Amino acid sequence: MTYGGYSDKLVVDEHFAVRVPDGLALDGAAPLLCAGVTVYSPLVYYGLSKPGTRLGLVGLGGLGHMAVKFAKALGLEVTVISRSPAKRIEAMDRLGADAFLVMNDQEQLQAATATMDGILNTASGAHNLTPLINLLKTNGKLILLGAFAAPAEIPVFPMLIGRKLVGGSVIGGMKETQEVMDFAAKHHITADVEVIHIDYVNTAMDRLAHGDVKYRFVIDVANSLAPHT
């Protein structure tokens, strides 16, 4: 029987193995294999990784906090966009974002119109994309990373006038994943995690459903297993 990520040992083809650089803590590095490459890949692919690029970031959760860390390490100017004003301190004081916008504050959104080269949208709930598109400069790019099920309505006229682009991205390939790990080690980037025992999984799932985690649960599989006899 194969237990995948719940195994203490497994054998894989070398082409599907990722080397964790020395000095990178395993618990903080684990989410880089998913959340880390999910935010890093579109920055590179869509040409938003050049120092000085003005990047908007919607959502400050598991993906969002990783995006801030990678974007700042790349030398980008980062504006976090959130529905919750309470996240301003977390975004700017702790994670190092350069600016913060409240999504439903029309005055703030108006002042930021046409100021961003690109936006990574990590929000998973259905929402109006028009205010985000209006934040983009000419040739700006809105990249969807959150998988909301409801069809998205996209205003055509602002897209035509501004030659703007709406794209998407998910995870990344093996080469990119190794690049993420090496970049993270060089810049001392890890995910903010809460390490749990396997017995705590059901409670963790309940907390996750209520948004009660900053920002990833990591299961300590090795110390959760019964000793071998």
Side-chain angles (χ1 to χ4, degrees), residues 25-42:
L26 292 180
D27 54 359
L32 299 179
L33 300 170
C34 183
V37 69
T38 294
V39 298
Y40 180 88
S41 178

Side-chain angles (χ1 to χ4, degrees), residues 65-134:
H65 91 288
M66 286 268 71
V68 175
K69 292 184 179 187
F70 276 105
K72 290 303 298 179
L74 287 164
L76 311 190
E77 184 177 332
V78 181
T79 298
V80 171
I81 306 165
S82 175
R83 294 180 179 178
S84 173
K87 292 188 176 181
R88 177 186 297 272
I89 294 176
E90 176 80 358
M92 298 186 67
D93 294 353
R94 200 180 73 78
L95 294 174
D98 300 284
F100 185 89
L101 294 178
V102 178
M103 188 67 177
N104 57 0
D105 188 320
Q106 296 305 314
E107 186 174 336
Q108 289 187 20
L109 295 180
Q110 183 65 33
T113 297
T115 61
M116 300 179 187
D117 299 299
I119 297 175
L120 294 188
N121 186 353
T122 72
S124 57
H127 54 284
N128 185 5
L129 298 181
T130 301
L132 301 177
I133 291 172
N134 290 338

Side-chain angles (χ1 to χ4, degrees), residues 20 97 134 157 189 220 225:
V20 180
N134 290 338
F157 195 68
I189 297 173
D220 185 353
L225 298 174

